[in-house]
Each structure stands twice: as structure tokens, then as C-alpha cells.
């Protein structure tokens, strides 16, 4: 029997993470007045996605990535149409006709999933269903290239990327979080489907259509059944199921305490859920299934991504990919387990040293038994940031839920303290923006990243484009009448500065941050917005080939000034200038 729920009670971000943490397989279908989409899971990992948005099709993504040409796409579609009902998937035809590499096909599929998730993350009202029945594999699946038949994308990594893209689109004003009015005509809700729409569990197959690899114009979407008869997707039941499976021998009263505790973290305004996700992550390496589920649940409400790798290779991959994408991970090493050779004391100690050599900047926390004195001291000696006693004895049949609750609160509290440390968080932020800067290839995208980075430390910021004897006010953050921190549309106001002494002073410095009276600025400067209450302002010039091309202005608006990491701003603006230089050279050579 499928499970169902409403997005206003359980945001799609939480649904995806619950499916991942409980390692479920099935098809998650989301219906909203703003669209319709599906995510397909295999043991908690994403296989693929489809979406009703015509822009989210595999052929169009390959075209936009310039992997294929429009004529090649049209030819492949014609070939596919000629096959009739037995047509192979579009990606297979392109693989043969255009010699599309498996890497290109994989990357396009990854992009398809990311963009489909970005769309669904913005939906705050609607219905979702999870079909968890057996998914049969049809004969025509063999048409797919062999190395694409076992694609399992890391769900948390995909969600991380989708949330990053979502955040960028929200700040750029491309996506608006709407409080969608509920209406009874949400597609598929409280209505009896027609005979052509009724789908039994045996009809669900892992086909090319479901994989999102079929004809651009012939996507077959699964229709909902009447939702009134479906089981409710209740996180309360999921917590109970996880606790019973992981701790089968503990008393029912203790189980109920743990369920009640974890259920505290299941409620959030769906409009805030995606915006609450940070660029920080917890990587838990442990054989303890309860701990995996509990930390995933608690950290999710704190906006922290949680990875629970099953092997050392997966562990290294999670940390490596997190760092490469600009995320800030903390490694939590679980208890040694004498019953599991992969988690013996020797293996944990060796792994601790290995990870310290590979990733010295990633903080490590070690869990230990209260009486493991020597092991705890060795962990500190190996560079662990903290050693926390874990109250659960693996061989014990008695578990005190109160002790576990205290432990989980202490662990997540310590993680939050590490992430909130001013110096740590600022350098993590710089790393994140430098990674994003490395992927920016167009001048407007580079200047926007500078604007956003400056806005991390100031209440208001404006990009000023230097054009001979004038400045052009481009995009801004913090100047909207509603007080939002979203990026404004280009202002295009031109400010004539002539032979400004102040401008020459700025151009000769790496940055200018000081108390500046409005009298010392050109008289027109605050004509379009009010002067700040605090006179501390920043002028951050970006130079390309020795020439100043933009100045980012920033102040604290109506707030008091706070400390500013000028050294980090200098590092970032220099890198942005190099990126801008590369972008302009690339454009000139095209």
C-alpha cells in the first residue's frame, strides 16, 4: 500500500532525507498546483527523476550542455519515432549516433535530478505518495548502456547540490517562496481517477520513462490513486520502526521516550525548510543503526546534512565531495564494535590517523564508552576535537532513553558550537564561495558572487560598474522596501563622478573600509537610498588586468557596525578578478 502525506506538514526536503535514512526503495510522486514530478529511489539512493516541466528533459539538458547539437537531437528523435512502440530510450540512440560518453550521460542525468529537486523544493503545498512495492525490471531496460544500468546517486549529495542551486535562485529572485493557497482541486486530491488513470502496484516498472530517458514529448507520468484510502506517511511511525529494528530488546516505555524525543524535530514551516539548510554537514561513520537515524533526524532540524557511509571508501568520498562542493564537514567516528571487524578498535584508530593526514582541516569527534580511558586519551592525542561518552552498550539489553536523549543533545550542541565558531565559520564560508567562483564562467555571475559574499558581512551591498567617468548601479542586496535579503533586479542608475578624488583614492587601494561622512562622498551618492546610521562603509574594487571594473559598496543600514574580515574579502576579490579576467578572455576567443 502506498504512503501519502501533505507538503504543508512534511516538506519535500524532509521526505527525501527520511527515505534515504530508512533505505527505502520506491517511487516518490509529488503533486502540486505548480507542477508534478517523481523521484525514484533504490535502497535510499536516487536512481532518477522526471518532471512535468518541459525544460527538465534529458535531451534538452544535453543540448544546453552543448554535448549534442539541435540537429543531432532532432535526428535521434526521428530515429526513436521510427522504432514505434519498441523504441529504445533517447539516451541510448544518442549514445550510438553521437557517441555520447557514459560520463556525459551520467552528468546529464545528475543535472536532471538536481533541477527536478530544485523545482519541487519550492512547493509548500501539495500531495506526495511513496510507492514501496516491488519495482520490476522490464526486458527493454537492456537497451540502456551497460554502465548506466546500475546508477545510484548519493541522495544527500544530490540534495546538497539542489539546495545550493535553490538558495542561489532564491537570492537571485528567480524563485519565490510562496504561501500557496490550499484548494481542493490539487491534481489527484480527493477525486476518483478515471479508468485510464488507475494504476496498480504491479503496473509500476523501472522503465526508461521513469528514468527520465525517454522521448522529450512522450513522457508518461504515473497518475495518483484516490488519496483518501492511502496509508499516512507519518514520521512518528518511521522513528518507531527504526528504534524497534535497531534496539529490539529495550522496554516499550523506553522506546516511547525515544520516539517522542525524535518527533520533536519533525515540525517546521515548509516555506522555511529549504532556506534553513546550511552549507555544513555531519559525516557519521558508525555501525549503530539507531545512532545513524537519530543523528540524521536531529541534525536535519538544525539545517545540517548528515551522511552515514557504509564503508571507508564511501566515507572518504563523502568528505572529498563535500569539500569540493564548498561544504564544511565534521567527521563523527562511532564506537568500536568487537562484533564487527570493520569497526574494531585497531580499525578505528587507524582510520582516525588516516583521515587526519588526508583532511587535517576537518574536525573529528570520537564516540567512546565511558570506561574506555586509554581509548579516549588516544583520540585526543590523535587530534580529535572532542571525545564524547556514548551511553549505549552494544551487548546490553537495557537502554536508558533519558541518557541517550542527553547524549544526543550534547553531541548536536557541540557540533553547533564548532560550526558557529566565528573564525571557523568565516573560513568555511570563504571556501564555499571560492568553490562556487570556480564554476562561474560569465562576468555577471562572478560579480553577483562578489555581491553575495560581501552581503554575508554587511546588511546592504551594491555592485557599481565603473564606466569611464561614471558609476552604474547594478544589482543590490538589502535595499528592497520589504527588507528582504534577496538580490534586486539591475538598477541601471548612472552616477556621474567626473574627476572624483574619492574614486581615485579607492582605485589605488585594495579596499577602503572606514568611517566616511556623507559630506566626503559625491553629493549624489545617497540620492537613491538613505544613508546608513553607522558611518562605517566598504568600497571593494575588483581589478582586471590592472583596470578597476567594479566597486562593491556595503554598509550596515540601520544597524550598528560589526567586525568585518577584511583579509577574507581581499582574498576573494583577488580570486574574483582572476576569474573575471578568464571569463573575458574566453568570451573574446569565442
Amino acid at each position: 500500500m502506498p504512503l501519502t502525506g501533505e507538503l504543508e506538514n512534511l516538506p519535500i526536503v524532509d521526505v527525501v532525507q527520511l527515505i534515504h535514512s530508512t533505505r527505502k526503495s520506491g517511487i516518490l510522486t509529488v503533486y502540486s498546483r505548480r507542477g508534478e514530478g517523481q523521484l525514484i529511489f533504490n535502497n535510499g539512493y536516487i536512481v532518477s527523476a522526471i518532471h512535468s516541466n518541459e525544460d527538465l528533459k534529458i535531451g534538452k539538458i544535453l543540448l544546453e550542455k552543448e554535448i549534442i547539437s539541435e540537429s543531432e537531437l532532432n535526428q535521434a528523435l526521428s530515429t526513436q519515432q521510427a522504432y514505434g512502440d519498441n523504441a529504445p530510450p533517447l539516451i541510448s540512440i544518442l549514445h550510438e549516433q553521437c557517441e555520447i560518453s557514459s560520463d556525459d550521460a551520467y552528468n546529464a542525468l545528475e543535472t536532471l535530478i538536481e533541477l527536478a529537486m530544485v523545482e519541487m523544493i519550492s512547493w509548500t503545498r501539495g500531495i506526495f505518495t511513496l510507492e514501496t512495492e516491488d519495482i520490476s525490471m522490464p526486458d527493454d531496460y537492456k537497451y540502456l548502456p551497460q554502465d548506466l544500468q546500475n546508477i545510484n546517486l548519493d541522495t544527500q549529495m544530490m540534495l546538497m547540490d539542489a539546495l545550493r542551486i535553490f538558495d542561489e535562485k532564491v537570492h537571485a529572485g528567480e524563485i519565490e517562496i510562496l504561501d500557496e493557497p490550499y484548494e481542493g482541486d490539487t491534481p489527484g486530491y480527493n477525486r476518483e481517477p478515471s479508468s485510464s488513470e488507475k494504476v496498480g502496484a504491479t503496473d509500476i516498472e523501472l522503465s526508461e520513462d521513469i528514468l527520465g530517458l525517454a522521448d522529450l514529448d512522450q513522457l508518461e507520468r504515473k497518475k495518483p490513486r484516490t488519496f483518501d484510502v492511502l496509508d499516512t506517511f507519518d514520521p512518528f511511525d518511521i522513528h518507531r520502526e527504526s528504534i524497534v529494528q535497531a534496539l529490539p530488546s529495550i522496554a516499550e516505555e523506553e522506546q516511547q521516550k525515544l520516539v517522542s524525543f525524535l518527533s520533536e524535530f519533525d515540525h517546521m514551516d515548509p516555506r522555511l525548510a529549504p532556506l534553513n539548510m546550511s552549507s555544513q554537514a555531519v559525516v557519521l561513520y558508525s555501525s549503530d543503526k539507531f545512532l545513524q537515524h537519530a543523528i540524521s533526524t536531529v541534525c536535519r532540524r538544525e539545517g545540517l546534512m548528515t551522511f552515514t557511509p557504509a564503508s571507508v571508501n564511501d566515507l572518504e568520498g563523502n568528505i572529498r565531495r563535500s569539500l569540493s562542493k564548498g561544504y564544511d564537514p565534521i567527521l563523527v567516528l562511532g564506537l568500536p564494535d568487537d562484533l564487527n571487524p570493520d569497526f574494531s578498535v585497531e580499525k578505528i584508530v587507524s582510520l582516525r590517523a588516516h583521515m587526519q593526514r588526508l583532511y587535517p582541516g576537518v574536525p573529528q569527534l570520537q564516540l567512546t564508552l565511558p570506561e574506555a580511558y586509554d581509548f579516549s586519551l588516544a583520540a585526543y592525542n590523535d587530534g580529535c576535537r572532542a571525545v564524547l561518552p556514548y551511553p549505549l552498550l552494544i551487548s546490553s539489553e537495557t537502554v536508558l532513553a533519558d541518557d541517550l536523549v542527553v547524549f544526543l543533545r550534547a553531541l548536536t550542541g557541540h557540533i553547533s558550537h564548532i560550526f558557529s565558531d566565528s573564525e571557523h565559520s568565516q573560513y568555511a564560508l570563504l571556501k564555499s564561495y571560492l568553490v562556487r567562483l570556480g564554476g562561474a564562467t560569465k562576468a555577471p555571475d562572478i560579480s553577483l558572487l562578489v555581491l553575495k559574499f560581501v552581503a554575508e558581512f554587511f546588511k546592504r551591498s551594491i555592485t557599481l560598474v565603473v564606466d569611464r567617468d561614471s558609476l552604474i548601479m547594478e544589482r543590490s542586496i538589502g535595499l528592497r522596501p520589504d527588507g528582504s535579503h534577496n538580490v534586486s533586479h539591475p538598477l541601471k542608475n548612472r552616477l556621474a563622478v567626473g574627476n572624483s578624488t574619492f574614486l581615485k583614492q579607492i582605485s589605488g587601494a585594495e579596499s577602503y573600509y572606514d568611517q566616511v561622512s556623507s559630506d566626503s562622498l559625491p553629493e549624489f551618492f545617497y540620492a537613491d537610498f538613505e544613508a546608513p546610521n553607522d558611518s562605517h562603509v566598504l568600497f571593494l574594487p575588483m581589478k582586471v588586468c590592472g583596470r578597476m571594473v567594479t566597486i562593491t559598496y556595503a554598509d550596515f543600514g540601520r544597524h550598528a557596525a560589526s567586525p568585518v574580515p577584511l583579509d577574507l574579502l581581499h582574498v576573494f576579490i583577488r580570486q574574483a578578478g582572476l576569474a573575471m579576467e578568464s571569463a573575458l578572455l574566453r568570451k573574446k576567443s569565442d
Side-chain angles (χ1 to χ4, degrees):
M1 179 71 72
L3 303 174
T4 187
E6 298 185 13
L7 294 178
E8 59 185 309
N9 297 324
L10 196 63
I12 195 65
V13 172
D14 284 2
V15 176
V16 170
Q17 292 192 86
L18 280 171
I19 293 173
H20 173 70
S21 65
T22 53
R23 297 296 189 262
K24 291 187 178 295
S25 297
I27 303 172
L28 176 69
T29 306
V30 187
Y31 306 93
S32 168
R33 291 181 56 80
R34 298 170 64 184
E36 180 179 330
Q38 290 181 328
L39 299 174
I40 298 85
F41 293 85
N42 178 29
N43 293 322
Y45 291 92
I46 292 185
V47 176
S48 192
I50 58 177
H51 197 282
S52 56
N53 187 335
E54 289 301 312
D55 289 334
L56 301 182
K57 302 293 185 292
I58 197 72
K60 185 159 187 177
I61 289 172
L62 288 167
L63 188 62
E64 289 179 349
K65 286 178 173 288
E66 299 182 351
I67 296 171
I68 60 174
S69 65
E70 190 166 356
S71 61
E72 288 173 329
L73 176 59
N74 291 334
Q75 183 179 354
L77 289 171
S78 299
T79 302
Q80 187 184 51
Q81 188 174 11
Y83 275 100
D85 294 337
N86 297 319
L90 182 65
I91 195 69
S92 294
I93 298 174
L94 290 168
H95 191 273
E96 293 177 5
Q97 291 185 355
C98 308
E99 298 183 353
I100 297 295
S101 69
S102 298
D103 285 343
D104 284 340
Y106 182 93
N107 291 334
L109 179 59
E110 194 173 38
T111 300
L112 173 69
I113 295 172
E114 285 177 358
L115 295 179
M117 291 177 73
V118 168
E119 285 286 318
M120 287 186 272
I121 285 171
S122 67
W123 301 344
T124 58
R125 291 194 185 268
I127 304 296
F128 62 83
T129 63
L130 176 65
E131 294 274 2
T132 56
E133 306 294 338
D134 291 338
I135 303 175
S136 59
M137 195 73 71
D139 291 338
D140 57 2
Y141 191 63
K142 65 180 182 291
Y143 280 110
L144 285 175
Q146 185 63 38
D147 48 2
L148 294 180
Q149 292 188 15
N150 295 310
I151 288 177
N152 286 299
L153 299 172
D154 191 305
T155 301
Q156 295 293 75
M157 283 294 178
M158 296 301 301
L159 191 55
M160 260 188 167
D161 289 344
L163 286 166
R164 175 181 54 79
I165 295 170
F166 175 85
D167 180 67
E168 290 174 354
K169 287 181 176 291
V170 168
H171 281 89
E174 298 176 28
I175 290 180
E176 187 175 359
I177 305 298
L178 301 173
D179 187 10
E180 303 169 42
Y182 172 77
E183 296 189 30
D185 61 345
T186 298
Y189 190 74
N190 286 336
R191 67 174 176 85
E192 184 65 30
S194 65
S195 58
S196 62
E197 292 176 323
K198 292 183 179 179
V199 180
T202 57
D203 296 321
I204 299 174
E205 297 180 333
L206 191 58
S207 66
E208 287 79 13
D209 282 334
I210 289 179
L211 284 172
L213 302 175
D215 190 330
L216 291 175
D217 301 317
Q218 296 179 3
L219 178 65
E220 178 186 351
R221 295 189 296 277
K222 303 296 179 184
K223 297 297 182 181
R225 302 186 220 176
T226 305
F227 290 155
D228 292 338
V229 300
L230 301 182
D231 291 342
T232 301
F233 193 94
D234 191 348
F236 189 91
D237 294 333
I238 292 175
H239 297 320
R240 181 180 297 281
E241 178 185 337
S242 297
I243 292 168
V244 169
Q245 289 178 354
L247 307 171
S249 58
I250 72 171
E252 185 174 347
E253 181 181 354
E254 299 297 301
Q255 289 180 9
Q256 184 57 42
K257 287 182 181 179
L258 292 175
V259 171
S260 298
F261 168 70
L262 295 178
S263 297
E264 295 176 14
F265 301 89
D266 286 329
H267 303 288
M268 176 183 281
D269 188 332
R271 292 169 296 174
L272 301 179
L275 297 176
N276 189 52
M277 302 307 290
S278 69
S279 61
Q280 299 156 338
V282 175
V283 182
L284 170 67
Y285 186 62
S286 171
S287 59
D288 188 326
K289 298 300 181 184
F290 167 75
L291 188 62
Q292 291 176 0
H293 177 75
I295 288 184
S296 296
T297 300
V298 175
C299 287
R300 183 171 64 245
R301 196 51 57 212
E302 297 296 320
L304 303 174
M305 281 290 180
T306 308
F307 299 94
T308 54
S311 68
V312 172
N313 287 338
D314 290 343
L315 167 62
E316 291 188 24
N318 286 154
I319 291 182
R320 184 174 59 252
R321 289 196 66 192
S322 295
L323 292 171
S324 69
K325 292 177 178 293
Y327 289 91
D328 187 24
I330 282 180
L331 172 58
V332 180
L333 295 168
L335 290 175
D337 183 356
D338 293 335
L339 302 178
N340 188 334
D342 292 334
F343 288 88
S344 65
V345 171
E346 293 76 14
K347 286 288 182 69
I348 291 293
V349 171
S350 175
L351 176 63
R352 211 162 53 204
H354 176 67
M355 297 305 292
Q356 179 67 23
R357 285 193 300 271
L358 285 181
Y359 306 106
V362 174
Q364 292 187 20
L365 306 182
Q366 176 68 63
L367 306 187
T368 182
L369 295 175
E371 67 273 15
Y373 180 77
D374 291 341
F375 181 76
S376 299
L377 290 180
Y380 276 118
N381 189 56
D382 290 343
C384 286
R385 182 71 69 91
V387 178
L388 286 83
Y390 188 36
L392 177 60
L393 288 171
I394 296 174
S395 59
S396 174
E397 294 187 357
T398 59
V399 177
L400 295 179
D402 292 339
D403 291 341
L404 284 172
V405 169
V406 171
F407 164 78
L408 288 169
R409 292 195 189 280
L411 175 61
T412 53
H414 190 71
I415 289 171
S416 296
H417 287 315
I418 293 176
F419 281 137
S420 61
D421 175 74
S422 176
E423 185 175 346
H424 178 92
S425 60
Q426 286 177 359
Y427 276 99
L429 191 67
L430 174 64
K431 274 194 307 185
S432 173
Y433 271 88
L434 287 174
V435 169
R436 293 157 69 180
L437 186 63
T441 58
K442 298 179 180 179
D445 296 336
I446 295 168
S447 66
L448 180 59
L449 282 173
V450 173
L451 182 71
K452 289 182 177 180
F453 187 64
V454 171
E456 297 284 354
F457 308 103
F458 291 85
K459 296 299 181 181
R460 307 190 306 184
S461 55
I462 307 171
T463 300
L464 304 169
V465 178
V466 179
D467 181 28
R468 296 182 183 178
D469 57 352
S470 64
L471 298 176
I472 302 172
M473 297 179 67
E474 272 286 317
R475 289 169 290 194
S476 67
I477 293 178
L479 291 184
R480 288 191 171 191
D482 59 4
S484 70
H485 220 55
N486 292 339
V487 179
S488 72
H489 296 296
L491 304 173
K492 301 298 185 184
N493 296 352
R494 184 177 290 271
L495 311 176
V497 295
N499 227 349
S500 171
T501 303
F502 188 74
L503 189 60
K504 290 179 181 178
Q505 184 179 2
I506 294 171
S507 64
E510 194 166 20
S511 68
Y512 186 94
Y513 177 66
D514 205 343
Q515 288 183 299
V516 178
S517 66
S518 57
D519 296 337
S520 63
L521 293 175
E523 60 181 16
F524 57 78
F525 197 80
Y526 292 119
D528 295 296
F529 60 98
E530 63 180 357
N533 289 350
D534 191 294
S535 58
H536 282 87
V537 299
L538 171 75
F539 288 90
L540 187 66
M542 177 164 58
K543 299 175 183 177
V544 177
C545 299
R547 175 179 172 268
M548 187 169 60
V549 294
T550 68
I551 300 172
T552 303
Y553 165 85
D555 63 39
F556 295 96
R558 298 180 179 178
H559 300 263
S562 57
V564 175
L566 283 178
D567 54 341
L568 302 190
L569 291 169
H570 294 162
V571 169
F572 190 74
I573 199 66
R574 283 196 294 267
Q575 294 301 312
L578 293 173
M580 183 74 77
E581 186 175 332
S582 298
L584 296 177
L585 289 173
R586 191 181 302 110
K587 183 178 180 181
K588 187 179 294 185
S589 63
D590 289 343

